Amino acid sequence: MVPAQWYLMLSAAIFCIGLFGILTRRNALLFLMSVELMLNAANVNFIAFSLQWGNVTGQTFALFTMALAAAEVAIGIGIILVLYRNFRDTDVTKATTMRW
Amino acid sequence: MLLQTQLPQWTALGPALILAITALVLFVIDSVDPDSTDSALLAGVSVVGTLAALGVAAWFLAAGTGQVGTGGEITLFRDALVVDGMSLFFTAIFTSVAAMVFVASYDYLKDRPDQAEFYSLVLLATTGMALLASSNSLATAFISLELTSLPSYALVAYLKRNRGSVEAGLKYFLIGALSSSVFVFGISLVYAVTGSLLFSDVASALGDLDQSFRGVAGIGVLMIAGGFAFKTASVPFHFWAPEAYEGAPAPVSAFLSSASKAAGFAVAFRVFVEAFPIATAVDLGIDWVLAFGILAVVTMTLGNFAAATQENVKRMLAYSSIGHAGYVLIGLAALSAGAATNGDVLGASMAHLLVYGFMNTGAFLFVALVEHWGVGRTFEDYNGLAERAPMACAAMTVFMFSLAGLPPFGGFFSKYFLFASAIGAGFWWLAAFGALNSALSLFYYSRVVKAMWIEESDGSFELTSRPIGLYAAIMVAAVGTLVLLPGFGPVIETAQTVAAALFG
């Protein structure tokens, strides 16, 4: 069996790639993709440690996470659509009627 | 009195079930008549549903359901959910806020074509909050957190042709999505080291954790704390709050800043007290009590200083809500392992959240009323408002002084008990920072009062209508804020009893 720390390194790497994407990309859709990466990094952990611990709690949770990620994307795309209709752009830095 | 123990066990989830069913009933009404703009029907059903849920929660709380006297907490679905005094107390907060928001929305949303969606989304979010307060496993905590968050994103962006609302919705969604992925990664790390998601199992597994895993466990706990910081609008995930509250329709701002914040605290209290017990956590070098102490001071200071520099009343209220998150964080920051004062501190925080639920909702609903009239949003625009609408302005004065913590209002006792309990637990520095910040907050709260009552208006606006729903909701909130002064005894007693049970 692959030692547990390799899974942790893999998931941490995926998480950091997602975080990097969030910090550097300005397009709202790319932002959503980066969030998906971060959620799936957690799924890697859940499934790997489900195997390590010999219970299915982690696998079940991974299913929940996937379903919720889908729901989150549905809401997100909806908001990005109205964003595009109002601002003619999906750049997250363009929407600045209020100051940060 | 009929006791809940005489009913089947699942009825303990009654409040959450009633809320969910009401939301579904609204969907049915909407599918039967999709073009209906019948505000009275939709708002009426929502109010009846939330009041029923509030009634059941209050009845259970009075009958002692899930408390030590009647056989202790009721666990359901293999311990994934738990109903105890604390979850019922918080459910009462969420449902009271939601009921006031519904009454106010009757006028605010009048003649809009998509009202049913609004009411059902708020109800679904309230259901999520009720479940959040009952969750006993990191899995249910995460799912009900999302059930609370997802409708909230849509609600903030509800005015889809209004640029401010859409922008606020986008920012709320982006930060929310980021923080929920951080939260779920934290859960995955805690699962990695403990092999379980149930709070009690996590606590016992952490108790005999190999020291070499404590780094992973520590990062996991920190990330989970980050998820809660987002939900409660505390530092370091607070910066969405001013944008979201300013841009959102004012009833939604009221709902988010009162109920959603309380929900975040409800689950944070349970997770940290039950899953990461202080003694175990300190042994592992994960001193979350100290971390929350620092966050509490930073949050209240930042919130109050930023609020003092605002020109826009709604934005000022948003920052003041961050400041109040800082006060409530004292509930987690003034704990110490095995201390008898723990229940008092946590209970005082819960009581403050209840009072805050009335006064803050009322303040945002007053802003909703002013938006409904089409008066501007800055302090100057409020000049002389009291001449035109003395009743509403008197209520707003009550909210402002209560938020500042002045004596004749509910906010005075809740803050007093909070700071006194912190001193009693030996954390005088938290109380000192809290008192200093309260003094500062009086400055910007009284600016609103001064604008309304003392300044002369420039006579540029006409108040054309007297919206019944908004007025009724504001009056209920004002009466609630006032009644909670003489009625604070039973509230604090209940809160501290149910909080002490958490440490038992």
Coordinates of all heavy atoms in Angstrom, one line a residue, chain B residues 15-99:
Chain B
P15 N -38.8 21.6 14.6 CA -38.7 23.0 14.1 C -38.0 22.9 12.7 O -38.6 23.6 11.7 CB -37.7 23.6 15.0 CG -37.9 23.0 16.3 CD -38.3 21.5 16.0
A16 N -37.0 22.1 12.5 CA -36.3 22.1 11.2 C -37.3 21.5 10.1 O -37.4 21.9 9.0 CB -35.1 21.2 11.3
L17 N -38.1 20.4 10.6 CA -39.0 19.8 9.6 C -40.1 20.8 9.2 O -40.4 20.9 8.0 CB -39.6 18.6 10.3 CG -38.7 17.4 10.5 CD1 -39.4 16.3 11.3 CD2 -38.3 16.8 9.1
I18 N -40.6 21.5 10.1 CA -41.6 22.5 9.8 C -41.1 23.5 8.8 O -41.8 23.8 7.8 CB -42.2 23.2 11.1 CG1 -42.9 22.2 12.0 CG2 -43.1 24.4 10.7 CD1 -43.3 22.8 13.3
L19 N -39.9 24.0 9.0 CA -39.3 25.0 8.1 C -39.1 24.4 6.7 O -39.5 25.0 5.7 CB -37.9 25.4 8.6 CG -38.0 26.3 9.9 CD1 -36.6 26.4 10.5 CD2 -38.5 27.7 9.6
A20 N -38.6 23.1 6.6 CA -38.4 22.5 5.3 C -39.7 22.3 4.6 O -39.9 22.6 3.4 CB -37.7 21.2 5.5
I21 N -40.8 21.9 5.4 CA -42.0 21.6 4.7 C -42.7 22.9 4.2 O -43.2 23.0 3.1 CB -43.0 20.9 5.7 CG1 -42.5 19.5 6.0 CG2 -44.4 20.9 5.2 CD1 -43.2 18.8 7.1
T22 N -42.5 24.0 5.0 CA -43.1 25.3 4.6 C -42.4 25.7 3.3 O -43.1 26.3 2.4 CB -42.8 26.4 5.7 OG1 -43.2 25.8 6.9 CG2 -43.7 27.6 5.4
A23 N -41.1 25.5 3.2 CA -40.4 25.9 2.0 C -40.9 25.1 0.8 O -41.2 25.7 -0.3 CB -38.9 25.6 2.1
L24 N -41.2 23.8 1.0 CA -41.7 23.0 -0.1 C -43.2 23.4 -0.5 O -43.5 23.5 -1.6 CB -41.7 21.5 0.3 CG -40.3 21.0 0.5 CD1 -40.3 19.6 0.9 CD2 -39.4 21.2 -0.8
V25 N -44.0 23.8 0.6 CA -45.3 24.3 0.3 C -45.3 25.5 -0.6 O -46.1 25.7 -1.5 CB -46.1 24.6 1.6 CG1 -47.3 25.4 1.4 CG2 -46.4 23.3 2.3
L26 N -44.3 26.4 -0.3 CA -44.2 27.6 -1.2 C -43.8 27.2 -2.6 O -44.3 27.9 -3.5 CB -43.1 28.5 -0.6 CG -43.5 29.3 0.6 CD1 -42.3 30.0 1.2 CD2 -44.6 30.3 0.3
F27 N -43.0 26.2 -2.8 CA -42.7 25.8 -4.1 C -44.0 25.3 -4.8 O -44.2 25.5 -6.0 CB -41.7 24.6 -4.1 CG -40.3 25.1 -4.0 CD1 -39.4 24.6 -3.1 CD2 -39.8 26.1 -4.8 CE1 -38.1 25.0 -2.9 CE2 -38.5 26.6 -4.7 CZ -37.6 26.0 -3.8
V28 N -44.8 24.5 -4.1 CA -46.1 24.0 -4.6 C -47.0 25.2 -5.0 O -47.5 25.3 -6.2 CB -46.8 23.1 -3.6 CG1 -48.2 22.8 -4.1 CG2 -46.0 21.9 -3.4
I29 N -47.1 26.2 -4.1 CA -47.9 27.4 -4.5 C -47.4 28.0 -5.7 O -48.2 28.4 -6.6 CB -47.9 28.4 -3.3 CG1 -48.6 27.7 -2.1 CG2 -48.6 29.7 -3.7 CD1 -48.5 28.6 -0.8
D30 N -46.1 28.1 -5.8 CA -45.5 28.8 -7.0 C -45.7 28.0 -8.2 O -45.9 28.6 -9.3 CB -44.0 29.0 -6.7 CG -43.4 29.9 -7.8 OD1 -44.1 30.9 -8.1 OD2 -42.3 29.7 -8.2
S31 N -45.7 26.7 -8.2 CA -45.9 25.9 -9.4 C -47.3 25.9 -9.8 O -47.6 25.7 -11.0 CB -45.3 24.5 -9.2 OG -45.9 23.9 -8.1
V32 N -48.3 26.0 -8.8 CA -49.7 26.1 -9.2 C -49.9 27.4 -9.9 O -50.6 27.4 -10.9 CB -50.6 25.9 -8.0 CG1 -52.0 26.2 -8.3 CG2 -50.4 24.5 -7.4
D33 N -49.4 28.5 -9.4 CA -49.6 29.8 -10.0 C -48.3 30.6 -10.1 O -48.0 31.4 -9.3 CB -50.6 30.6 -9.1 CG -51.1 31.9 -9.7 OD1 -50.7 32.1 -10.9 OD2 -51.7 32.6 -9.1
P34 N -47.5 30.3 -11.2 CA -46.2 30.8 -11.3 C -46.1 32.3 -11.4 O -45.2 32.9 -11.0 CB -45.6 30.2 -12.6 CG -46.5 29.1 -12.9 CD -47.9 29.4 -12.3
D35 N -47.2 32.9 -12.0 CA -47.1 34.4 -12.2 C -47.7 35.2 -11.1 O -47.9 36.4 -11.2 CB -47.9 34.7 -13.5 CG -47.3 34.0 -14.7 OD1 -46.1 33.9 -14.7 OD2 -48.1 33.5 -15.6
S36 N -48.0 34.5 -10.0 CA -48.7 35.2 -8.9 C -47.8 36.2 -8.3 O -46.6 36.0 -8.1 CB -49.1 34.2 -7.8 OG -49.4 34.8 -6.6
T37 N -48.4 37.4 -7.9 CA -47.6 38.4 -7.2 C -48.4 38.6 -5.9 O -48.4 39.7 -5.3 CB -47.5 39.7 -7.9 OG1 -48.8 40.1 -8.4 CG2 -46.5 39.6 -9.1
D38 N -49.0 37.6 -5.4 CA -49.8 37.6 -4.2 C -48.9 37.6 -2.9 O -48.7 36.6 -2.3 CB -50.8 36.5 -4.1 CG -51.8 36.6 -3.0 OD1 -51.7 37.5 -2.2 OD2 -52.7 35.8 -3.0
S39 N -48.4 38.8 -2.6 CA -47.5 38.9 -1.4 C -48.1 38.4 -0.2 O -47.5 37.7 0.6 CB -47.0 40.3 -1.2 OG -46.9 41.0 -2.4
A40 N -49.4 38.7 0.0 CA -50.0 38.3 1.3 C -50.0 36.8 1.5 O -49.7 36.3 2.6 CB -51.5 38.9 1.3
L41 N -50.3 36.1 0.5 CA -50.4 34.6 0.6 C -49.0 34.1 0.9 O -48.8 33.3 1.9 CB -50.9 34.0 -0.7 CG -50.8 32.5 -0.8 CD1 -51.8 31.9 0.2 CD2 -51.1 32.0 -2.2
L42 N -48.0 34.5 0.1 CA -46.6 33.9 0.2 C -46.0 34.3 1.6 O -45.5 33.5 2.3 CB -45.7 34.4 -0.9 CG -46.2 33.9 -2.3 CD1 -45.5 34.7 -3.4 CD2 -45.9 32.5 -2.4
A43 N -46.1 35.6 1.9 CA -45.5 36.1 3.2 C -46.3 35.5 4.3 O -45.7 35.1 5.3 CB -45.6 37.6 3.3
G44 N -47.6 35.3 4.2 CA -48.4 34.7 5.2 C -48.0 33.3 5.5 O -47.8 33.0 6.7
V45 N -47.9 32.5 4.5 CA -47.5 31.1 4.7 C -46.1 31.0 5.3 O -45.9 30.3 6.3 CB -47.5 30.3 3.3 CG1 -46.9 29.0 3.5 CG2 -48.9 30.2 2.8
S46 N -45.2 31.9 4.9 CA -43.8 31.8 5.4 C -43.8 32.2 6.9 O -43.2 31.6 7.7 CB -42.9 32.8 4.7 OG -43.1 32.7 3.3
V47 N -44.6 33.3 7.2 CA -44.6 33.7 8.6 C -45.3 32.7 9.5 O -44.7 32.3 10.6 CB -45.4 35.1 8.7 CG1 -45.6 35.4 10.2 CG2 -44.7 36.2 8.1
V48 N -46.4 32.1 9.0 CA -47.0 31.0 9.8 C -46.1 29.9 10.0 O -45.9 29.4 11.2 CB -48.3 30.5 9.1 CG1 -48.9 29.3 9.8 CG2 -49.4 31.6 9.1
G49 N -45.4 29.4 9.0 CA -44.4 28.3 9.1 C -43.3 28.6 10.1 O -43.0 27.8 11.0
T50 N -42.7 29.8 10.0 CA -41.6 30.1 10.9 C -42.1 30.3 12.3 O -41.4 29.9 13.3 CB -40.8 31.4 10.5 OG1 -41.7 32.3 9.9 CG2 -39.7 31.1 9.6
L51 N -43.3 30.9 12.5 CA -43.8 31.1 13.8 C -44.1 29.7 14.5 O -43.9 29.5 15.7 CB -45.0 32.0 13.9 CG -44.7 33.5 13.7 CD1 -46.0 34.3 13.8 CD2 -43.7 34.0 14.7
A52 N -44.6 28.8 13.6 CA -44.9 27.4 14.1 C -43.6 26.8 14.6 O -43.5 26.2 15.7 CB -45.5 26.6 13.1
A53 N -42.5 26.9 13.8 CA -41.2 26.4 14.1 C -40.7 27.0 15.4 O -40.2 26.3 16.3 CB -40.2 26.6 13.0
L54 N -40.9 28.4 15.5 CA -40.5 29.1 16.7 C -41.2 28.6 17.9 O -40.7 28.3 19.0 CB -40.7 30.6 16.5 CG -40.5 31.5 17.7 CD1 -39.0 31.4 18.2 CD2 -40.8 32.9 17.4
G55 N -42.6 28.4 17.7 CA -43.4 27.9 18.8 C -42.9 26.5 19.3 O -42.8 26.3 20.5
V56 N -42.7 25.6 18.4 CA -42.3 24.3 18.8 C -40.9 24.3 19.5 O -40.7 23.7 20.5 CB -42.2 23.4 17.5 CG1 -41.6 22.0 17.8 CG2 -43.6 23.2 16.9
A57 N -40.0 25.2 18.9 CA -38.7 25.2 19.6 C -38.8 25.8 21.0 O -38.2 25.3 21.9 CB -37.8 26.1 18.7
A58 N -39.7 26.8 21.2 CA -39.9 27.4 22.5 C -40.5 26.4 23.4 O -40.1 26.3 24.6 CB -40.7 28.7 22.4
W59 N -41.5 25.7 22.9 CA -42.1 24.7 23.7 C -41.1 23.6 24.2 O -41.1 23.2 25.4 CB -43.3 24.0 22.9 CG -43.8 22.7 23.4 CD1 -44.0 22.4 24.7 CD2 -44.1 21.6 22.7 NE1 -44.4 21.1 24.8 CE2 -44.5 20.6 23.6 CE3 -44.2 21.3 21.3 CZ2 -44.9 19.3 23.2 CZ3 -44.6 20.0 20.9 CH2 -45.0 19.0 21.8
F60 N -40.3 23.1 23.3 CA -39.3 22.1 23.6 C -38.4 22.6 24.6 O -38.0 21.9 25.6 CB -38.5 21.6 22.4 CG -39.3 20.7 21.5 CD1 -38.7 20.3 20.3 CD2 -40.6 20.3 21.8 CE1 -39.4 19.4 19.4 CE2 -41.2 19.4 20.9 CZ -40.7 19.0 19.8
L61 N -38.0 23.9 24.4 CA -37.0 24.5 25.3 C -37.6 24.6 26.7 O -37.0 24.3 27.8 CB -36.6 25.9 24.8 CG -35.3 26.5 25.2 CD1 -34.2 25.6 24.9 CD2 -35.1 27.8 24.5
A62 N -38.9 25.0 26.8 CA -39.6 25.2 28.1 C -39.8 23.8 28.7 O -39.7 23.7 30.0 CB -40.9 25.9 27.9
A63 N -40.1 22.8 27.9 CA -40.4 21.5 28.5 C -39.1 20.7 28.8 O -39.1 19.6 29.3 CB -41.2 20.6 27.5
G64 N -37.9 21.3 28.4 CA -36.7 20.7 28.8 C -36.2 19.6 27.9 O -35.4 18.7 28.3
T65 N -36.8 19.6 26.6 CA -36.4 18.5 25.7 C -34.9 18.5 25.5 O -34.3 19.5 25.2 CB -37.1 18.7 24.3 OG1 -38.5 18.8 24.6 CG2 -36.7 17.7 23.3
G66 N -34.3 17.3 25.6 CA -32.9 17.2 25.3 C -32.0 17.8 26.4 O -30.8 17.8 26.2
Q67 N -32.6 18.2 27.5 CA -31.8 18.7 28.6 C -31.6 17.7 29.7 O -32.2 16.6 29.6 CB -32.4 20.0 29.1 CG -32.4 21.1 28.1 CD -33.0 22.4 28.6 OE1 -32.9 22.7 29.7 NE2 -33.7 23.1 27.7
V68 N -30.7 18.0 30.6 CA -30.4 17.0 31.6 C -31.6 16.5 32.3 O -31.7 15.3 32.6 CB -29.4 17.6 32.6 CG1 -28.9 16.6 33.6 CG2 -28.2 18.2 31.8
G69 N -32.5 17.3 32.6 CA -33.7 17.0 33.4 C -34.6 15.9 32.8 O -35.2 15.1 33.5
T70 N -34.6 15.8 31.5 CA -35.5 14.9 30.8 C -34.7 13.8 30.1 O -35.2 13.2 29.1 CB -36.4 15.6 29.8 OG1 -35.6 16.3 28.9 CG2 -37.4 16.5 30.5
G71 N -33.6 13.4 30.6 CA -32.9 12.3 30.0 C -31.7 12.7 29.1 O -31.2 11.8 28.4
G72 N -31.4 14.0 29.0 CA -30.2 14.3 28.3 C -30.5 14.5 26.8 O -31.6 14.4 26.3
E73 N -29.4 14.8 26.0 CA -29.6 15.1 24.6 C -30.1 14.0 23.8 O -29.9 12.8 24.2 CB -28.2 15.5 24.1 CG -27.2 14.5 24.3 CD -25.8 15.0 23.9 OE1 -25.5 16.1 24.1 OE2 -25.0 14.2 23.4
I74 N -30.9 14.3 22.8 CA -31.5 13.3 22.0 C -30.7 13.2 20.7 O -30.5 14.2 20.0 CB -32.9 13.7 21.6 CG1 -33.8 13.8 22.8 CG2 -33.5 12.7 20.6 CD1 -35.1 14.4 22.6
T75 N -30.1 12.0 20.4 CA -29.3 11.9 19.2 C -30.1 11.1 18.2 O -30.8 10.1 18.5 CB -28.0 11.2 19.5 OG1 -28.2 10.0 20.1 CG2 -27.1 12.1 20.4
L76 N -30.0 11.5 16.9 CA -30.7 10.9 15.9 C -29.8 10.5 14.7 O -28.7 11.0 14.6 CB -31.8 11.9 15.3 CG -32.9 12.3 16.3 CD1 -33.3 13.7 16.0 CD2 -34.0 11.3 16.2
F77 N -30.2 9.6 13.9 CA -29.4 9.2 12.7 C -28.0 8.8 13.1 O -27.1 9.4 12.6 CB -29.4 10.3 11.6 CG -30.8 10.7 11.2 CD1 -31.3 12.0 11.6 CD2 -31.6 9.9 10.5 CE1 -32.6 12.4 11.2 CE2 -32.9 10.3 10.1 CZ -33.4 11.5 10.5
R78 N -27.9 7.8 13.9 CA -26.6 7.3 14.4 C -25.7 8.4 14.9 O -24.6 8.6 14.5 CB -25.9 6.6 13.3 CG -26.6 5.3 12.9 CD -25.6 4.5 12.1 NE -26.1 3.1 12.0 CZ -25.4 2.2 11.5 NH1 -24.1 2.4 11.2 NH2 -25.8 1.0 11.3
D79 N -26.3 9.3 15.7 CA -25.5 10.4 16.4 C -25.1 11.5 15.4 O -24.4 12.4 15.8 CB -24.3 9.9 17.1 CG -24.6 8.9 18.2 OD1 -25.8 8.8 18.5 OD2 -23.7 8.3 18.7
A80 N -25.6 11.5 14.2 CA -25.2 12.5 13.3 C -25.8 13.9 13.6 O -25.3 14.9 13.4 CB -25.5 12.2 11.8
L81 N -27.0 13.8 14.2 CA -27.7 15.0 14.7 C -28.0 14.9 16.1 O -28.2 13.8 16.7 CB -29.0 15.2 13.9 CG -28.9 15.6 12.4 CD1 -30.3 15.6 11.8 CD2 -28.3 16.9 12.3
V82 N -28.0 16.0 16.8 CA -28.3 16.0 18.2 C -29.2 17.2 18.5 O -29.1 18.2 18.0 CB -27.0 16.1 19.1 CG1 -26.2 17.4 18.8 CG2 -27.3 16.0 20.5
V83 N -30.2 16.9 19.4 CA -31.1 17.9 19.8 C -30.9 18.1 21.3 O -31.1 17.2 22.1 CB -32.6 17.6 19.5 CG1 -33.5 18.7 20.0 CG2 -32.8 17.4 18.0
D84 N -30.5 19.3 21.7 CA -30.3 19.6 23.1 C -30.7 21.1 23.3 O -31.2 21.7 22.4 CB -28.9 19.4 23.5 CG -27.9 20.2 22.8 OD1 -28.3 21.0 22.0 OD2 -26.7 20.0 23.1
G85 N -30.6 21.5 24.5 CA -31.0 22.9 24.8 C -30.4 23.9 23.9 O -31.0 24.9 23.4
M86 N -29.1 23.7 23.6 CA -28.4 24.7 22.8 C -29.0 24.8 21.4 O -29.2 25.9 20.9 CB -26.9 24.4 22.8 CG -26.1 25.6 22.2 SD -24.4 25.3 22.1 CE -24.1 24.8 20.5
S87 N -29.2 23.6 20.8 CA -29.7 23.7 19.4 C -31.1 24.3 19.4 O -31.4 25.1 18.5 CB -29.7 22.3 18.8 OG -30.8 21.5 19.4
L88 N -31.9 24.1 20.4 CA -33.3 24.7 20.4 C -33.2 26.2 20.7 O -33.9 27.0 20.1 CB -34.1 24.0 21.5 CG -34.4 22.6 21.3 CD1 -35.0 21.9 22.5 CD2 -35.4 22.4 20.1
F89 N -32.3 26.6 21.5 CA -32.1 28.0 21.8 C -31.7 28.7 20.5 O -32.3 29.8 20.2 CB -31.0 28.2 22.9 CG -30.8 29.6 23.3 CD1 -31.5 30.1 24.4 CD2 -29.9 30.5 22.7 CE1 -31.3 31.4 24.8 CE2 -29.7 31.8 23.1 CZ -30.5 32.2 24.2
F90 N -30.8 28.2 19.8 CA -30.4 28.8 18.5 C -31.5 28.8 17.5 O -31.7 29.8 16.8 CB -29.1 28.2 18.0 CG -27.8 28.8 18.5 CD1 -27.1 28.1 19.5 CD2 -27.5 30.1 18.2 CE1 -25.9 28.7 20.0 CE2 -26.3 30.7 18.7 CZ -25.5 30.0 19.6
T91 N -32.2 27.7 17.5 CA -33.3 27.6 16.5 C -34.3 28.7 16.8 O -34.9 29.3 15.9 CB -34.0 26.2 16.6 OG1 -33.0 25.2 16.4 CG2 -35.1 26.1 15.5
A92 N -34.5 29.0 18.1 CA -35.5 30.1 18.4 C -34.9 31.4 17.9 O -35.7 32.2 17.4 CB -35.6 30.2 19.9
I93 N -33.6 31.6 17.9 CA -33.0 32.9 17.4 C -33.3 33.0 15.9 O -33.8 34.0 15.4 CB -31.5 33.0 17.7 CG1 -31.2 32.9 19.1 CG2 -30.9 34.2 17.0 CD1 -29.7 33.0 19.5
F94 N -32.9 31.9 15.2 CA -33.1 31.9 13.7 C -34.5 32.1 13.3 O -34.8 32.9 12.4 CB -32.6 30.6 13.1 CG -31.3 30.1 13.5 CD1 -31.0 28.7 13.7 CD2 -30.3 31.0 13.8 CE1 -29.8 28.3 14.1 CE2 -29.0 30.5 14.2 CZ -28.8 29.2 14.4
T95 N -35.4 31.4 13.9 CA -36.8 31.6 13.5 C -37.4 33.0 13.8 O -38.2 33.5 13.0 CB -37.7 30.5 14.1 OG1 -37.4 30.3 15.5 CG2 -37.5 29.1 13.4
S96 N -37.0 33.5 15.0 CA -37.5 34.9 15.2 C -37.0 35.9 14.2 O -37.8 36.7 13.7 CB -37.1 35.4 16.6 OG -36.7 34.4 17.5
V97 N -35.7 35.8 13.9 CA -35.2 36.7 12.8 C -35.9 36.5 11.5 O -36.3 37.4 10.9 CB -33.7 36.5 12.7 CG1 -33.1 37.3 11.5 CG2 -32.9 36.9 14.0
A98 N -36.1 35.2 11.1 CA -36.7 34.9 9.8 C -38.1 35.5 9.8 O -38.5 36.0 8.8 CB -36.7 33.4 9.6
A99 N -38.8 35.3 10.9 CA -40.2 35.8 10.9 C -40.3 37.3 10.7 O -41.1 37.8 9.9 CB -40.9 35.4 12.2

